[in-house]
């Protein structure tokens, strides 16, 4: 289909597509048009990565906007939201407006009401519905990217319930669901009352196979020699061969440690293939990576990148991950060793994909467990970039002939598993039952069950009565904790507390833990509050390593008076272990709020900078919720909770709270200014400029920005000389790595 023949889209679209080199639609895109995607018909598109899913979404959204509607694009990850925003902002030249929202779960996002396209995570959309965002009812088109994630135990129920609520609010809503790997796309289409495009067409050839011995064995029966030299690992041989052909490689491994180890080893291969210009550009990227955080992880990553390799996992700061992805797309970084999380979303295609580890540790089985076919096919789909690569190859590695046969049977020739709803798990239902009642979607048990009957779970379950039984158990829990109350007949109503918990986007069990801990307390220390929020299901606690139990048991008894709530007995193994894990996590937060260096924290707790910042963000959110609950319960703890929240937000002791809140200051600069005699933002507005400049290491632009953000009328630093007495003691590491804007760890 020629782009000029696409019906019911804006008049400018054909020329826009031609300017981007698109004259004809890909076959799956043409089929989507024939199935009515530009006429407002709902559609499930199950087509391979790089086969044009995003354009199908754009056709749906733009045609809907052309008819006077508003479009919502739901993504599973924040990083994907940023990527999609950049893609969609190209439409702003035609008068459309694009908004992105991924944080602040208490907001109704009123500013988004003026946008034509809104990009948001499923959690954010769920929170917008809970907070009564009126513009949600005006949506005409919703796109759900990576819809196969309804199968994910953590994210899936939220996506599932959110789609059900949006369709209930907007009976004529066009729903477009996208996925590259879905074993039962017809079932998803039936649930969403949608047409189906199910295709395996790709714009460039993708060959899948297994490396064994000295050869590649492909799915079509072809064998090709790919020798492994001497003590060389098969992965290194494949990367070297790919580099010889001018391509890049993604290597998937099963743990963070393995990702870092593989990248360090493969750097020896990639470094030999770099040009002088690439070495200079990579050195600049490495310098930027070092500025993100002063941790060993940051330094290790920078050293790998200087040699053309990188690792990618959740322990990295988001800035680390973004820079690595950009350098890989620019073909500066030649290989990324990554955990499977990279397969879920962000656009990082490569010539070859190597699934080195097809098993990973699972706590459910207490050992190594094979990856699902769906996960492996998601990884396979990253191979081959249209316009850049002549083909893509995805490879598994076999250690023996029997394993060669097993990998072909298990993954290469296998179809992805069917996507199954995870909604009936009690933790998921706790949250969504409360929100469904609190936001007015159900006012009785029968209405609640009727709403849940619209979910994917209801269409898939082969256990009659299970959803009803679990729902009744959840309702009983919510009533017992005063979040819901029963009325006449089977009526249900959210209490004032229940409404607050729903709007705060808390797991009701987290709210119950926080409320129980604060009730009856007249005062609280920061440690007590950190430990309280670390005990909740919404906080992923740090693991207790070998030897930790004894250390944290001693600490628990030393700090017992600070805990909000009774400490369990040592003989209650499970509960006591959880208590200690929460204590370890709380002590990490206490270190952060006591201005301990990030590198020391990472070393002490065995975590990466991404883990530190993730825990800090989560603690800030949970403490903000605790502050609201303290106010509602009138416990008198709200000031103490606020202090703990602000300290953990900025990573500072109490005396720096005001200074660190000035944008552009942050924890390290706040301490330098304080040591120079500037104790708060009022002092900063009146301080001698030479003292400010001295405390900020003579950085004029930084000093001007800080003074302007503090509200100083004359922030200009022209002609000002730094006061040497105000200058901090020299610290080469700080000087080299200090980030220009330390004001925030990122939006939560």
């Amino acid at each position: 289909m020629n782009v000029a023949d696409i019906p019911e889209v804006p008049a400018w679209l054909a020329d826009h597509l031609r300017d981007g080199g698109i004259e004809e639609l890909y076959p799956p895109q043409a089929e989507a048009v024939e199935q009515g995607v530009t006429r407002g018909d709902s559609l499930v598109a199950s087509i391979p990565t790089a086969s044009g899913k995003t354009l199908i979404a754009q056709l749906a959204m733009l045609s809907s906007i052309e008819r006077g509607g508003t479009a919502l694009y739901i993504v599973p990850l924040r990083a994907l939201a940023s990527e999609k925003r950049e893609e969609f902002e190209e439409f702003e030249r035609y008068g459309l407006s694009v908004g992105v929202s991924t944080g602040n779960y208490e907001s109704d996002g009123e500013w988004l009401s003026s946008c034509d396209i809104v990009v948001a995570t499923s959690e954010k959309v769920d929170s917008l519905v809970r907070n009564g965002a009126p513009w949600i009812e005006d949506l005409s088109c919703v796109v759900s990217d990576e819809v196969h994630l309804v199968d994910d135990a953590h994210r899936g129920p939220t996506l599932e319930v959110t789609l059900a609520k949006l369709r209930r609010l907007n009976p004529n809503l066009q729903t477009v669901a996208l996925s590259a790997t879905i074993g039962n796309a017809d079932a998803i289409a039936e649930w969403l009352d949608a047409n189906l495009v199910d295709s395996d067409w790709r714009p460039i050839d993708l060959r899948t196979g297994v490396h064994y011995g000295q050869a590649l064995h492909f799915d079509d029966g072809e064998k090709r020699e790919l020798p492994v030299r001497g003590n060389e690992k098969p992965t290194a041989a494949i990367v070297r061969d790919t580099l010889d052909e001018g391509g890049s490689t993604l290597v998937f491994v099963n743990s963070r440690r393995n990702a870092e180890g593989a990248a360090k080893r493969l750097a020896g291969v990639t470094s030999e293939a770099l040009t002088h210009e690439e070495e200079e550009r990579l050195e600049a990227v490495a310098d930027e990576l070092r500025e993100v955080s002063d941790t060993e992880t940051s330094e290790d990553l920078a050293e790998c990148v200087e040699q053309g390799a990188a690792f990618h996992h959740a322990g990295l700061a988001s800035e680390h991950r973004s820079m690595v992805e950009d350098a890989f797309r620019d073909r500066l970084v030649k290989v990324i060793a990554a955990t499977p999380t990279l397969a879920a979303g962000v656009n990082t295609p490569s010539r070859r994909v190597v699934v080195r580890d097809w098993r990973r540790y699972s706590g459910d089985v207490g050992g190594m467990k094979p990856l699902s076919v769906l996960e492996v096919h998601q990884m396979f789909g990253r191979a081959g970039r249209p316009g850049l690569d002549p083909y893509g190859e995805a490879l598994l590695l076999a250690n023996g002939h029997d394993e060669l046969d097993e990998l072909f049977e298990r993954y290469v020739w296998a179809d992805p598993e069917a996507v199954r709803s995870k909604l009936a798990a009690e933790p998921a239902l706790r949250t969504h039952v409360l929100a469904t009642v609190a936001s007015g979607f159900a006012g009785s048990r029968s209405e609640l069950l009727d709403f849940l009957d619209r979910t994917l779970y209801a269409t898939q379950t082969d256990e009659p009565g299970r959803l009803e039984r679990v729902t009744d158990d959840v309702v009983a829990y919510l009533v017992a904790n005063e979040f819901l109350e029963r009325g006449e007949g089977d009526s249900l109503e959210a209490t004032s507390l229940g409404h607050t918990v729903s709007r705060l986007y808390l797991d009701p069990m987290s709210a119950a833990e926080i409320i129980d801990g604060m009730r009856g307390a007249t005062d609280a220390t920061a440690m007590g509050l950190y430990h309280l929020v670390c005990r909740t299901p919404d906080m992923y606690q740090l693991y207790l390593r070998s030897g930790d139990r004894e250390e944290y048991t001693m600490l628990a008894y030393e700090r017992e008076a600070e805990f909000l709530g009774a400490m369990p007995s040592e003989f209650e193994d499970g509960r006591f272990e959880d208590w200690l894990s929460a204590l370890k996590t709380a002590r990490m937060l206490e270190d952060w709020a006591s201005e301990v260096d990030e590198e020391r924290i990472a070393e002490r707790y065995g975590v990466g900078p991404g883990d530190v910042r993730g825990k800090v963000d989560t603690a800030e959110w949970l403490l903000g919720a605790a502050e609201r609950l303290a106010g509602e319960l009138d416990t008198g703890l709200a000031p103490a909770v606020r202090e703990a929240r602000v300290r953990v937000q900025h990573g500072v002791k109490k005396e720096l709270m005001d200074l660190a809140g000035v944008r552009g200051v942050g924890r390290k600069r706040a301490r330098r200014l304080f040591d120079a005699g500037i104790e708060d933002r009022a002092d900063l507005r009146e301080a001698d400029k030479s003292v400010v400049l001295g405390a900020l290491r003579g950085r004029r632009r930084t000093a001007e920005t800080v003074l302007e953000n503090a509200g100083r009328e004359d922030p200009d630093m022209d002609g000002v000389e730094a006061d040497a007495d105000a200058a901090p003691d020299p610290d080469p590491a700080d000087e080299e790595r200090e980030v220009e804007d330390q004001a925030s760890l990122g939006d939560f």
Side-chain angles (χ1 to χ4, degrees), residues 43-116:
L43 182 81
V44 171
S46 178
I47 61 177
T49 300
S51 298
K53 291 191 299 295
T54 298
L55 181 55
I56 291 175
Q58 291 173 345
L59 293 176
M61 294 190 297
L62 293 173
S63 59
S64 182
I65 293 166
E66 184 72 1
R67 292 190 292 272
T70 301
L72 173 65
Y73 193 101
I74 300 176
V75 294
L77 304 170
R78 290 186 182 188
L80 261 179
S82 300
E83 186 177 293
K84 292 302 175 185
R85 175 187 60 196
E86 291 175 11
E87 287 184 41
F88 300 155
E89 279 177 346
E90 65 184 16
F91 301 135
E92 292 185 342
R93 75 180 86 159
Y94 305 107
L96 301 187
S97 57
V98 179
V100 176
S101 185
T102 59
N104 190 0
Y105 292 145
E106 295 179 63
S107 163
D108 65 4
E110 184 179 353
W111 67 276
L112 296 167
S113 62
S114 61
C115 297
D116 297 300

Side-chain angles (χ1 to χ4, degrees), residues 6-167:
I6 305 172
E8 300 190 43
V9 292
W12 49 261
L13 183 60
D15 286 339
H16 174 81
L17 293 175
R18 288 193 197 98
D19 290 344
I22 301 173
E23 295 282 349
E24 297 279 337
L25 295 183
Y26 289 157
Q29 296 168 337
E31 186 181 349
V33 173
E34 291 163 5
Q35 292 274 19
V37 77
T38 61
R39 296 192 300 270
D41 293 342
S42 293
L43 182 81
V44 171
S46 178
I47 61 177
T49 300
S51 298
K53 291 191 299 295
T54 298
L55 181 55
I56 291 175
Q58 291 173 345
L59 293 176
M61 294 190 297
L62 293 173
S63 59
S64 182
I65 293 166
E66 184 72 1
R67 292 190 292 272
T70 301
L72 173 65
Y73 193 101
I74 300 176
V75 294
L77 304 170
R78 290 186 182 188
L80 261 179
S82 300
E83 186 177 293
K84 292 302 175 185
R85 175 187 60 196
E86 291 175 11
E87 287 184 41
F88 300 155
E89 279 177 346
E90 65 184 16
F91 301 135
E92 292 185 342
R93 75 180 86 159
Y94 305 107
L96 301 187
S97 57
V98 179
V100 176
S101 185
T102 59
N104 190 0
Y105 292 145
E106 295 179 63
S107 163
D108 65 4
E110 184 179 353
W111 67 276
L112 296 167
S113 62
S114 61
C115 297
D116 297 300
I117 298 174
V118 175
V119 182
T121 59
S122 53
E123 290 81 7
K124 179 58 185 180
V125 179
D126 185 21
S127 76
L128 289 167
V129 173
R130 296 186 190 199
N131 283 280
W135 58 271
I136 288 286
E137 297 185 27
D138 298 328
L139 290 174
S140 56
C141 174
V142 60
V143 177
S144 177
D145 201 357
E146 309 285 349
V147 74
H148 61 272
L149 288 174
V150 294
D151 191 77
D152 182 273
H154 299 292
R155 291 195 182 97
T158 296
L159 176 59
E160 182 178 344
V161 169
T162 297
L163 288 175
K165 287 181 178 177
L166 291 175
R167 296 179 68 221

